[in-house]
Amino acid sequence: MKRYLYSTIIFFIAAVSLAGGWYETLSLALSAILLVMLLDKIGKGIVLRETIAFLYAFTCLVMPVIGYKYYDPTNGLAKLWVRYMPVPENNYFSYALPAVAFFAFAITLPFRVDNYTDDGNEVKVLIDRIKKILTRTPKIGLVIISIGLIVSLGIKFIPGGLQFFATLFFFSSFAGLLYIYYAPNFKYKYSLMVLFGLFIIYNAISVGMFTIVAYMGITIFSFLMLGKRTSLLRKITIFCVAAFFMIVLQNVKLAYRDYIWRSNYSDSKVALFADLFWKNIQKGDELIEQNAFFQIYTRGNQGFNVALVMRRIPAIKPYDNGNNITKAFASAFVPRFLWPDKPEAGGKFNMEYYTGWVINGWSTNVGPLGEAYGSFGVTGGIIYMFFLGLFIRWVYVRVFKSSIKIPLMVCWLPVFFFQIVSSAETDSLQIFNSLIKSAFFVWLIVKIFPLWFGIVRKQVLRPRVAASSPV
């Protein structure tokens, strides 16, 4: 069947990669087919799972290919900053390529639940049901956005243990944005959407963190494009423009953060960012020259951290047989007050545990791919990545299945999966933690504010007792 064509190709690449050889060609082929799969689905369905798979392939395969080809130990910048790949090419790709390929196959495998799927006419029917519900409650989206933005302004004053749930309220504002977009005859919807987007960008510029702009933007874009017929050529053009702006943004970030974090900058941050951004845009092709591209390479090469794990384990430290991952999975279910010293998400611990690197003042992580190798080795790591892909897909399908009964649940997919989109750069704990807490959060919202999901509670009318007549 046509809907299984991409999955068949991905599985073929995964199977061939196990035989060894052709690593560079197969890595680029896998990344290319995932990109075509993603672009082909835009306008036809929700591309969340495809985005996750592509980002894994890009950061763990494409960037390492560039590293081995252009930033080896003979390159001056790679040698100076010690950013060349620290293990032989065949060693790295014999593990990373099949692991990422089987992960991509598992997470993007098509599904059908009660005649519904996340693309084609079925998802259009679901969107039509959403629009019908929102004709009855057109202002709910505005309420959700308002609450989310108000909570976001006070997150820093909320105790650490509750900040994640406060952040989920902020993420909920993106569900509210989709409510406004799909609400028929909502006045000034596009003006409100632009204002919301400007607020998000302004907030990102203020703190110097652009993750939510990049990753949430990709997800929301796929929703906004649903039902719109767009040629593949136009999609490729949009992708190239977006990729160029991401390259510019990566070049701007370091210089911009130096100003606002380390130089006591007191003038307009927006004006500073705009000036740096424009100057980098004017560089054009210079941004992809070998020396200029080095900054993008170091930021986007998640394979470097994975290779650090492979260099240390098992030569210096033995495989831990899943001990750390098991703790991470268990800690996602147990509140901190019951387990005070339970593991925390973030790269500081993982980098020291798996690579021996102690990091301070900056953030990076080994990713699930690095954890899998450090726990189980090559074969076990490949198997782990395959089942991790199946797990994320299973959660996605469960959420999508709930939308058959509660159609507006589809709009909350960005809340569930925002932190999974960038999971190649985080860790398994972040995946388990965010999915479980997000599910609990949305469940609470359904119970407390059912009208947000178009659920109208039925009122039981009690028969009136007739007043007694005076005697």
Side-chain angles (χ1 to χ4, degrees):
M1 293 176 63
K2 185 179 178 181
R3 66 193 305 258
Y4 289 100
L5 175 63
Y6 292 118
S7 295
T8 302
I9 296 172
I10 294 169
F11 183 82
F12 176 77
I13 292 173
V16 171
S17 69
L18 292 174
W22 299 87
Y23 291 129
E24 180 179 323
T25 301
L26 291 173
S27 294
L28 296 178
L30 175 64
S31 303
I33 197 66
L34 287 171
L35 178 58
V36 172
M37 185 182 193
L38 188 159
L39 294 176
D40 181 51
K41 198 174 179 181
I42 289 177
K44 302 176 183 177
I46 302 167
V47 297
L48 203 154
R49 293 180 297 140
E50 291 76 14
T51 301
I52 296 171
F54 174 72
L55 288 175
Y56 267 80
F58 181 77
T59 58
C60 297
L61 298 178
V62 175
M63 281 301 183
V65 165
I66 293 173
Y68 283 112
K69 194 173 184 65
Y70 298 105
Y71 299 106
D72 60 16
T74 64
N75 177 269
L77 287 173
K79 185 177 181 179
L80 175 64
W81 296 101
V82 196
R83 297 298 296 190
Y84 49 83
M85 295 294 287
V87 297
E89 184 174 1
N90 285 348
N91 289 12
Y92 177 79
F93 284 111
S94 64
Y95 163 65
L97 175 56
V100 172
F102 278 109
F103 171 84
F105 169 76
I107 196 174
T108 61
L109 195 64
F111 69 89
R112 183 174 294 277
V113 179
D114 297 338
N115 292 322
Y116 280 92
T117 185
D118 64 346
D119 65 353
N121 292 328
E122 292 88 349
V123 78
K124 292 179 183 177
V125 171
L126 201 53
I127 296 301
D128 288 340
R129 291 176 62 194
I130 288 172
K131 292 178 179 178
K132 187 175 181 181
I133 293 170
L134 291 174
T135 56
R136 302 193 299 265
T137 55
K139 304 298 183 183
I140 291 296
L142 188 58
V143 172
I144 297 173
I145 285 181
S146 300
I147 293 174
L149 296 185
I150 291 170
V151 170
S152 72
L153 297 175
I155 284 179
K156 60 183 178 181
F157 303 109
I158 297 173
L162 298 175
Q163 280 190 357
F164 186 84
F165 283 98
T167 302
L168 288 174
F169 267 108
F170 172 53
F171 291 165
S172 299
S173 61
F174 289 90
L177 181 73
L178 293 177
Y179 279 30
I180 289 176
Y181 177 71
Y182 289 127
N185 304 319
F186 188 101
K187 289 185 178 181
Y188 313 115
K189 71 163 64 177
Y190 296 109
S191 299
L192 284 170
M193 291 173 69
V194 169
L195 287 174
F196 177 81
L198 290 174
F199 173 85
I200 297 300
I201 294 172
Y202 174 79
N203 190 57
I205 292 174
S206 297
V207 299
M209 300 295 291
F210 302 91
T211 303
I212 195 165
V213 175
Y215 293 126
M216 190 65 86
I218 295 170
T219 305
I220 295 299
F221 177 76
S222 75
F223 278 89
L224 301 185
M225 291 295 291
L226 276 175
K228 291 181 170 58
R229 288 189 174 184
T230 309
S231 67
L232 184 59
L233 180 60
R234 187 178 179 186
K235 293 176 187 178
I236 293 173
T237 303
I238 293 171
F239 173 81
C240 290
V241 172
F244 174 72
F245 273 90
M246 288 301 296
I247 291 173
V248 173
L249 180 61
Q250 289 297 333
N251 276 279
V252 169
K253 279 192 333 185
L254 283 180
Y256 177 71
R257 288 173 178 175
D258 280 338
Y259 274 105
I260 67 171
W261 291 357
R262 301 178 181 91
S263 303
N264 297 319
Y265 187 80
S266 57
D267 293 336
S268 170
K269 293 179 180 178
V270 174
L272 171 65
F273 181 83
D275 181 58
L276 292 172
F277 200 86
W278 176 244
K279 286 179 179 177
N280 275 273
I281 285 180
Q282 290 177 311
K283 292 180 181 178
D285 293 345
E286 295 178 17
L287 294 174
I288 56 174
E289 290 180 356
Q290 188 168 341
N291 287 345
F293 193 77
F294 180 73
Q295 185 173 304
I296 306 297
Y297 160 74
T298 56
R299 174 61 184 87
N301 185 15
Q302 181 61 27
F304 176 78
N305 288 356
V306 177
L308 289 176
V309 179
M310 299 178 72
R311 182 179 66 177
R312 186 167 189 249
I313 299 175
I316 299 173
K317 180 180 179 179
Y319 301 115
D320 80 347
N321 298 314
N323 180 58
N324 193 52
I325 290 178
T326 301
K327 284 184 180 179
F329 185 75
S331 69
F333 292 91
V334 183
R336 188 162 295 279
F337 71 88
L338 294 177
W339 187 355
D341 60 342
K342 76 173 187 175
E344 293 185 5
K348 190 171 184 178
F349 171 81
N350 273 353
M351 286 299 292
E352 184 174 2
Y353 182 83
Y354 288 107
T355 73
W357 279 30
V358 178
I359 59 174
N360 287 298
W362 57 295
S363 178
T364 189
N365 208 327
V366 300
L369 189 63
E371 290 176 301
Y373 178 86
S375 294
F376 309 111
V378 173
T379 303
I382 294 170
I383 294 171
Y384 175 82
M385 291 301 296
F386 172 72
F387 281 103
L388 180 65
L390 285 181
F391 172 73
I392 296 173
R393 177 184 178 274
W394 176 79
V395 176
Y396 178 89
V397 173
R398 295 296 300 175
V399 175
F400 198 87
K401 185 176 182 179
S402 69
S403 68
I404 297 172
K405 182 178 180 182
I406 309 174
L408 286 171
M409 191 67 74
V410 166
C411 298
W412 290 75
L413 282 170
V415 180
F416 280 95
F417 289 94
F418 165 65
Q419 294 183 320
I420 313 303
V421 173
S422 60
S423 61
E425 303 173 6
T426 57
D427 51 42
S428 297
L429 176 56
Q430 182 77 6
I431 294 173
F432 302 142
N433 205 36
S434 61
L435 286 176
I436 291 168
K437 287 185 177 179
S438 298
F440 179 68
F441 170 80
V442 174
W443 178 81
L444 279 179
I445 296 298
V446 172
K447 296 298 180 183
I448 298 172
F449 304 111
L451 195 60
W452 287 18
F453 294 85
I455 301 173
V456 179
R457 288 173 175 165
K458 295 180 180 179
Q459 296 182 349
V460 179
L461 299 178
R462 297 179 180 178
R464 292 184 177 182
V465 178
S468 56
S469 302
V471 178

